[in-house]
Amino acid sequence: MGHSDLVAAIRARLTAAADPVRAAGAQAYLKSAMPQLGVRVPEVRRIVKAEVAAAPLASGDELRSAVLELFRTATYREERYAAIDLTASKLVRTDLAMVPVYEEIIRTGAWWDLVDGVEDRLGRLLQAHRDVLTPVLLQWSTDPDFWIRRSSITAQLGAKSNTDTGLLATVIEANLADREFFIRKAIGWALREYAKTDPAWVRQFAATHGAALSPLSLREALRNLPAEA
């Protein structure tokens, strides 16, 4: 089975699992112009895993082709979720050739559910290839596309003690003046998550940049930190 056969098989399974009533509610919730099938995210993931297990792809190149075909030709949003689920494969987990794929998903997906779907993939690549990904994320932090900038901020969400605080500070500082909700939310989210690992660093960052941080970002950053005595 080639990548196009895999795409067709996933598409058929998703269509068979459609729930029109749920689809209408999900589309309204996401404020999405793209129609939905009403298939829950865990079920999309199960379908992708089952089809890949039944006919595994032979190479990273084949997998990339499947991802891009499914994402680019999607009629329903769940097909795009399935394309992102395919990128969890060991074939491409630390493959730098995935960077332009993720960038395309972010730029053309251009909404939080799709953009945030690849954040951990970017983070994993950063951990494996800091010398390559660090300058990429620094460049992304000043990109005209705010979804690309959001991704530079959220890429280290799961890094914990492996967080590059210099990189985190720089990508946030580049976006402090941005009034876009999704940027302000991302800044607060990134700081709140890192506060679980190093609350003192986050508190100091907030103290240093308090006047520049939006109320939303600051509130999110400090939400789980105890008040100082």
Side-chain angles (χ1 to χ4, degrees), residues 174-192:
N175 288 279
L176 285 174
D178 198 300
R179 300 183 63 83
E180 168 58 51
F181 168 81
F182 286 105
I183 291 294
R184 292 184 166 190
K185 188 74 171 178
I187 290 171
W189 188 14
L191 291 171
R192 186 179 78 239

Side-chain angles (χ1 to χ4, degrees), residues 64 160 210:
R64 270 185 290 279
K160 298 182 181 178

Side-chain angles (χ1 to χ4, degrees), residues 123 126-127 130 156-166 168 190 192-199 201-202:
L126 175 64
Q127 297 302 321
R130 287 187 184 274
Q156 295 194 83
L157 277 175
K160 298 182 181 178
S161 61
N162 290 319
T163 298
D164 179 341
T165 53
L168 180 62
R192 186 179 78 239
E193 282 301 303
Y194 188 56
K196 296 174 184 177
T197 298
D198 191 343
W201 188 92
V202 172

Side-chain angles (χ1 to χ4, degrees), residues 18-54:
D19 179 342
V21 174
R22 187 176 184 282
Q27 188 174 352
Y29 169 71
L30 283 171
K31 302 179 176 66
S32 166
M34 179 175 278
Q36 295 195 218
L37 290 164
V39 183
R40 295 181 184 277
V41 169
E43 180 61 18
V44 174
R45 196 162 293 132
R46 281 192 290 270
I47 287 170
V48 170
K49 285 183 177 179
E51 292 303 323
V52 170

